[in-house]
């Protein structure tokens, strides 16, 4: 039993240790580098395990951090344990209440929020400024956890689909679980003066049941948002419809422009079209080329290829991602946490007021920052000055 | 006409930075303080001309000039020099220019070899998020460039077993050429903290933008992944420093490695790995 307990506490210490965190981060770097050469890495169980461990480490360390921050101090701060971390001011025979009220007054004048607590070693007067900033780092780490949760939710309950819809035409999104169907009424490409594309626009009708609920235009960078579903302008292209006649036999085809049309025959012919140019390969080797026209038969060896229609299609990316709000939230609180952590500094000054042989002793300690030490110095001087007249003062 | 003026402005910028870098190098040899003032002045003057070149290009092409490698490299150099001058105001370290300015010169020279033809913005790039993405990247990478310089100086300073030679012999002022290790260490932290905040913004604006264009806020594209790798390298730096009290040589090396990751993200990925960011 004891053994299990020991093991468990050892495991807990490991999980909440920064060494593990840094090691996992370094490992994640190695994995990510490998992943840029082979994207399979990011889907591998090892990478998922690593991400899981890293998240667990962040959750545990942050949990411990928060508990320490909100938990009550049961002992005096560690700085009072060693002589060199604090200074001792001996105030002689003063009234303890008077000393406390002066110290509290000085701290408050400097803008510190003051807290009193009695300990075995004496009365602890704690002055804090911007103490809430200590929560910035946990906040930042919670943002990372939120990001992980958001992406897990997205991958488990999100829907995603790519639809190539002929114009005009309709896509049955409802059969894939989306709440509406889409009809594409129009697709347009705007061009710059030099002929490069400026924008691709699809004009869509949102259909529920049999009724058109709304009509909307979408373009690259301007997706449609409806009922938690987003529709993106993703690609475009053309479908080619036509027929191949060989002797008495006629076969029809419908392919996406750019894809190969297999003509067959003893020469294993295949045709690739970039309208209006076409290229014929024989067993992968270029064989002939030319310009195609709609409804004009092309004679290739003993075959007759005719293109009847060239139908434009728009490629739409449709998705719903229930994790997305969490992702955005994590970005906001992560940025907030990071900015506070890096640029707003909390300050703490401690005074431990005790008695020895009837003399009042004040122990003064502060954080490491210059500002804190300046404030501590100032308080030491002030208190020294005040009590010099009334008590036998010595530092 | 305008493209010609614009090209002259960038060429002038290159030569002025180059002259500044030469003076910094000369300073390391002669330790004459006056050289530093002149070199800093040249860096400032170069930055003014650099800025006017960028403004002219923006007017010329009718948008912010950061859509291809040429434009981004020039913009990145601008950020580097800007942040270097800013750091010089806060904490002047004359030798920092000896490391940073040659990097700026190399980047300008590199840009000069790239295709500078302005092309209209493809639809995916037409987004305010994209502008925020690049603007924050310029500041982040500029800060990391400066931190790289500080890291290098730290390693040099540390390798000198004897206290660093003073410039007393040259100028009689008796000031050490390199500041104390603690000063360099603090500066290393400050520049990296600044860069890290902005790199976080780069990742966030990029994610928001990608979600708007492609419908996926993260897709393990090599450029994205490398930006994340860079982020993680600096995250290791910050964690080591905050919680384990890492200082000195180890953090200086991390600053150097971090900047190598920045440069690889910027150039290596673009030229060696296909992905959403290799727009050409």
């Amino acid at each position: 039993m004891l053994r299990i307990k020991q093991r468990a506490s050892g495991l807990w210490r490991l999980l909440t240790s920064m060494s593990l965190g840094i090691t996992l981060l370094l490992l994640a770097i190695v994995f990510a580098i490998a992943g840029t050469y082979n994207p399979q890495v990011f889907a591998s169980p090892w990478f998922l395990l690593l991400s899981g461990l890293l998240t667990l480490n962040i959750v545990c360390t942050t949990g411990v951090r928060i508990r320490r921050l909100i938990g009550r101090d049961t002992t005096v701060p560690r700085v009072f344990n060693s002589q060199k971390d604090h200074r001792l001011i001996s105030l002689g025979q003063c009234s303890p209440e008077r000393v406390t009220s002066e110290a509290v007054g000085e701290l408050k004048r400097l803008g510190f929020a003051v807290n009193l607590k009695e300990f075995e070693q004496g009365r602890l007067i704690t002055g804090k400024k911007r103490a809430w900033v200590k929560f910035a780092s946990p906040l930042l780490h919670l943002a990372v956890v939120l990001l992980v949760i958001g992406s897990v939710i997205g991958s488990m309950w999100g829907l995603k689909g790519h639809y190539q819809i002929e114009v005009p035409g309709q896509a049955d999104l409802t059969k894939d679980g989306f709440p509406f169907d889409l009809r594409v009424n129009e697709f347009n490409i705007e061009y710059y003066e030099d002929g490069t594309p400026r924008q691709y626009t699809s004009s869509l009708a949102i259909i529920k049941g049999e009724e058109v609920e709304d009509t909307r235009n979408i373009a690259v960078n301007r997706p449609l948002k409806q009922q938690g579903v987003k529709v993106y302008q993703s690609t475009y292209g053309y479908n080619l419809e036509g027929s191949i006649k060989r002797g008495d036999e006629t076969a029809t085809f419908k392919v996406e422009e750019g894809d190969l049309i297999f003509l067959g025959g003893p020469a294993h012919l295949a045709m690739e079209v970039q309208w209006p140019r076409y290229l014929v390969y024989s067993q992968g080797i270029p064989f002939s080329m030319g310009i195609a026209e709609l409804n004009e038969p092309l004679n290739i060896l003993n075959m007759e290829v005719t293109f009847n229609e060239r139908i434009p299609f728009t490629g739409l990316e449709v998705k719903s991602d229930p994790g997305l709000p969490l992702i955005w939230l994590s970005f906001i609180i992560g940025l907030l946490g990071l900015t506070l952590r890096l640029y707003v500094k909390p300050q703490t000054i401690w005074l431990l007021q005790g008695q020895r042989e009837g003399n009042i002793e004040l122990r003064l300690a502060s954080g490491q920052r210059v500002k804190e030490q300046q404030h501590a110095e100032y308080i030491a001087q002030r208190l020294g000055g005040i009590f010099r007249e009334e008590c036998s003062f010595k530092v | 006409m305008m493209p010609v003026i614009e090209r002259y402005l960038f060429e002038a910028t290159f030569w002025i930075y180059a002259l500044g870098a030469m003076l910094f190098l000369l300073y390391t040899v002669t330790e004459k303080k006056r050289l530093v003032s002149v070199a800093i002045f040249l860096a400032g003057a170069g930055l003014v001309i650099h800025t006017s070149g960028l403004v002219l290009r923006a007017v010329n092409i009718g948008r912010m000039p950061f859509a291809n490698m040429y434009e981004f490299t020039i913009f990145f150099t601008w950020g580097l020099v800007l942040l270097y001058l800013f750091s010089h105001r806060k904490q002047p370290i004359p030798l920092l220019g000896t490391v940073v300015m040659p990097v700026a010169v190399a980047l300008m020279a590199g840009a000069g070899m790239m295709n500078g033809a302005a092309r209209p913005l493809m639809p995916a790039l037409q987004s305010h998020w994209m502008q925020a993405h690049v603007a924050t990247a310029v500041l982040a990478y500029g800060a990391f460039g400066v931190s790289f310089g500080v890291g290098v100086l730290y390693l040099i300073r540390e390798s000198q077993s004897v206290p660093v030679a003073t410039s007393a012999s040259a100028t009689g002022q008796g000031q050490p050429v390199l500041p104390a290790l603690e000063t360099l260490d603090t500066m290393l932290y400050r520049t990296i903290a600044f860069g890290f905040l902005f790199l976080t913004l780069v990742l966030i604006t990029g994610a928001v933008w990608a979600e708007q264009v492609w419908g996926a806020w993260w897709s393990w594209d090599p450029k994205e992944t490398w930006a994340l790798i860079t982020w993680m390298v600096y995250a290791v730096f910050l964690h080591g420093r905050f919680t384990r009290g890492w200082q000195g040589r180890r953090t200086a090396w991390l600053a150097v490695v971090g900047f190598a990751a920045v440069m690889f993200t910027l150039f290596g990925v673009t030229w060696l790995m296909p992905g959403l960011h290799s727009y050409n």
Side-chain angles (χ1 to χ4, degrees):
Chain A
M1 194 64 199
L2 195 70
R3 248 226 181 121
I4 298 172
K5 224 172 177 180
Q6 270 177 348
R7 287 245 174 99
S9 86
L11 188 68
W12 177 248
R13 257 204 308 279
L14 178 71
L15 269 180
T16 54
S17 77
M18 182 50 69
S19 315
L20 179 70
I22 290 179
T23 311
L24 291 174
L25 254 180
L26 290 172
L27 263 177
I29 292 173
V30 173
F31 268 81
I33 292 174
T36 52
Y37 289 96
N38 180 8
Q40 297 272 298
V41 169
F42 298 121
S44 73
W46 292 109
F47 185 73
L48 294 181
L49 180 73
L50 174 65
S51 316
L53 270 179
L54 192 57
T55 312
L56 192 64
N57 177 255
I58 294 174
V59 170
C60 293
T61 42
T62 309
V64 168
R65 197 82 151 292
I66 291 176
R67 206 177 64 187
R68 210 176 291 153
L69 282 176
I70 55 177
R72 302 241 170 93
D73 305 319
T74 49
T75 54
V76 294
R78 244 178 281 160
V79 278
F80 292 116
N81 296 344
S82 82
Q83 291 283 342
K84 64 175 176 31
D85 290 339
H86 67 272
R87 71 178 88 186
L88 179 68
I89 308 167
S90 192
L91 293 175
Q93 319 237 325
C94 286
S95 131
E97 298 313 316
R98 176 86 208 295
V99 172
T100 306
S101 82
E102 283 297 338
V104 170
E106 285 304 329
L107 279 169
K108 281 191 173 160
R109 258 191 290 282
L110 285 173
F112 285 87
V114 185
N115 182 335
L116 295 184
K117 212 165 172 204
E118 301 295 338
F119 285 98
E120 204 184 307
Q121 297 95 318
R123 177 180 291 159
L124 180 72
I125 307 166
T126 314
K128 284 183 175 172
K129 245 188 209 182
R130 296 186 287 270
W132 50 272
V133 175
K134 292 201 170 137
F135 286 95
S137 172
L139 194 69
L140 170 61
H141 289 82
L142 283 180
V144 177
V145 175
L146 220 52
L147 188 82
V148 174
I149 295 174
S151 54
V152 169
I153 289 178
S155 65
M156 289 181 78
W157 290 288
L159 285 175
K160 211 172 167 158
H162 184 81
Y163 300 88
Q164 293 194 347
I165 312 166
E166 291 189 348
V167 187
Q170 186 162 329
D172 297 330
L173 272 54
T174 40
K175 74 172 183 347
D176 294 333
F178 292 108
F180 52 80
D181 292 320
L182 280 179
R183 191 167 69 219
V184 180
N185 293 326
E186 252 183 86
F187 173 72
N188 284 310
I189 305 175
E190 280 172 67
Y191 292 96
Y192 289 107
E193 277 173 22
D194 68 351
T196 53
R198 179 202 282 272
Q199 189 54 281
Y200 310 104
T201 312
S202 292
S203 141
L204 305 177
I206 299 161
I207 296 168
K208 262 207 150 159
E210 296 295 308
E211 278 172 40
V212 174
E213 204 174 73
D214 204 352
T215 56
R216 225 70 85 67
N217 283 345
I218 63 160
V220 178
N221 261 313
R222 287 204 301 275
L224 161 80
K225 282 173 225 163
Q226 178 90 3
Q227 294 174 274
V229 175
K230 282 178 149 186
V231 183
Y232 302 84
Q233 179 67 54
S234 163
T235 54
Y236 75 98
Y238 295 88
N239 286 331
L240 291 170
E241 258 182 20
S243 60
I244 306 162
K245 202 169 146 196
R246 190 190 301 133
D248 294 335
E249 281 174 53
T250 306
T252 58
F253 64 83
K254 183 170 180 178
V255 296
E256 192 182 323
E257 192 174 303
D259 286 355
L260 286 179
I261 306 162
F262 293 99
L263 307 177
H268 297 282
L269 294 184
M271 186 183 225
E272 188 189 332
V273 184
Q274 290 296 341
W275 197 261
R277 281 179 296 276
Y278 70 88
L279 244 165
V280 182
Y281 298 92
S282 167
Q283 291 175 326
I285 299 156
F287 169 73
S288 81
M289 58 190 290
I291 302 287
E293 247 183 280
L294 283 185
N295 299 315
E296 289 288 323
L298 305 167
N299 288 308
I300 297 156
L301 291 183
N302 60 342
M303 281 174 274
E304 203 179 275
V305 180
T306 316
F307 293 101
N308 302 115
E309 264 197 284
R310 183 170 179 259
I311 313 154
F313 68 79
T314 178
L316 304 181
E317 191 76 23
V318 184
K319 66 141 207 195
S320 72
D321 183 353
L324 206 55
L326 278 184
I327 305 290
W328 296 160
L329 184 67
S330 81
F331 285 173
I332 293 167
I333 67 173
L335 264 185
L336 189 72
L338 182 62
T339 313
L340 290 175
R341 173 65 187 84
L342 294 177
Y343 289 106
V344 183
K345 307 288 181 208
Q347 281 185 38
T348 313
I349 288 179
W350 296 278
L351 288 152
L352 184 63
Q353 182 186 336
Q355 279 193 12
R356 176 179 282 191
E357 293 155 11
N359 286 336
I360 300 271
E361 281 186 347
L362 256 187
R363 284 161 208 277
L364 176 75
S366 68
Q368 294 303 307
R369 299 202 173 88
V370 177
K371 204 75 188 190
E372 288 169 310
Q373 290 177 352
Q374 282 172 353
H375 279 147
E377 180 65 33
Y378 173 79
I379 283 177
Q381 280 176 8
R382 288 289 295 179
L383 292 178
I386 288 165
F387 296 111
R388 180 160 289 141
E389 297 132 31
E390 305 168 23
C391 325
S392 49
F393 175 78
K394 50 186 196 294
V395 177
Chain B
M1 188 59 203
M2 279 224 285
V4 179
I5 300 176
E6 173 199 308
R7 214 184 59 227
Y8 283 150
L9 285 177
F10 288 137
E11 267 176 28
T13 308
F14 168 77
W15 288 112
I16 292 170
Y17 285 165
L19 198 59
M22 295 264 282
L23 291 183
F24 273 121
L25 288 171
L26 210 59
Y27 163 75
T28 47
V29 183
T30 63
E31 293 178 19
K32 282 201 178 12
K33 273 259 157 152
R34 271 185 63 92
L35 287 174
V36 175
S37 326
V38 181
I40 288 286
F41 173 79
L42 283 175
L47 190 68
V48 171
I49 297 172
H50 200 159
T51 312
S52 47
L54 283 169
V55 170
L56 194 66
R57 184 164 177 99
V59 173
N60 191 6
I61 58 183
R63 58 173 169 80
M64 298 299 272
F66 37 55
N68 56 30
M69 274 320 274
Y70 169 77
E71 289 173 357
F72 187 76
T73 308
I74 286 187
F75 204 19
F76 166 48
T77 318
W78 180 84
L80 178 66
V81 178
L82 179 78
L83 282 167
Y84 164 64
L85 288 174
F86 182 73
S87 79
H88 185 82
R89 270 187 74 94
K90 286 261 173 188
Q91 173 79 54
I93 303 173
L95 274 182
L96 189 55
T98 319
V99 186
V100 174
M101 286 313 284
V103 175
V105 174
L107 285 169
M108 282 308 270
M113 287 185 272
M114 294 174 200
N115 180 6
R119 285 188 315 186
L121 223 45
M122 57 186 268
L125 298 183
Q126 296 163 18
S127 164
H128 293 301
W129 289 106
M130 182 267 187
Q131 304 194 357
H133 182 62
V134 180
T136 46
V138 163
L139 291 178
Y141 291 1
F144 290 141
V146 175
S147 78
F148 163 76
V150 177
V152 169
L153 291 189
Y154 188 99
L155 293 172
I156 293 173
R157 175 78 159 91
E158 211 214 10
S159 68
Q160 294 162 332
S161 48
V162 238
V164 173
T166 61
S167 55
S169 54
T171 59
Q173 289 168 354
Q175 277 184 333
V177 177
L178 274 172
L181 283 176
E182 293 77 52
T183 313
L184 287 171
D185 194 67
T186 310
M187 204 170 158
L188 198 63
Y189 163 68
R190 292 218 171 119
T191 46
I192 286 182
F194 180 89
F196 188 75
L197 179 62
F198 277 88
L199 184 61
T200 310
L201 274 167
V202 172
L203 289 172
I204 288 179
T205 50
V208 175
W209 173 34
E211 203 279 332
Q212 211 174 59
V213 188
W214 297 294
W217 59 271
W218 191 265
S219 45
W220 295 111
D221 161 82
K223 195 86 157 188
E224 265 175 18
T225 309
W226 268 98
L228 181 68
I229 290 168
T230 312
W231 190 84
M232 289 194 289
V233 170
Y234 288 112
V236 168
F237 172 96
L238 291 175
H239 281 94
R241 190 182 167 95
F242 285 154
T243 63
R244 313 235 60 152
W246 283 6
Q247 269 181 333
R249 181 198 288 268
R250 187 154 26 176
T251 45
W253 270 114
L254 269 173
V256 174
V257 171
F259 190 61
V262 166
M263 294 307 262
F264 189 78
T265 310
L266 194 52
F267 299 111
V269 177
T270 309
W271 288 320
L272 301 178
M273 296 170 175
L276 297 171
H277 279 78
S278 38
Y279 291 107
N280 300 321

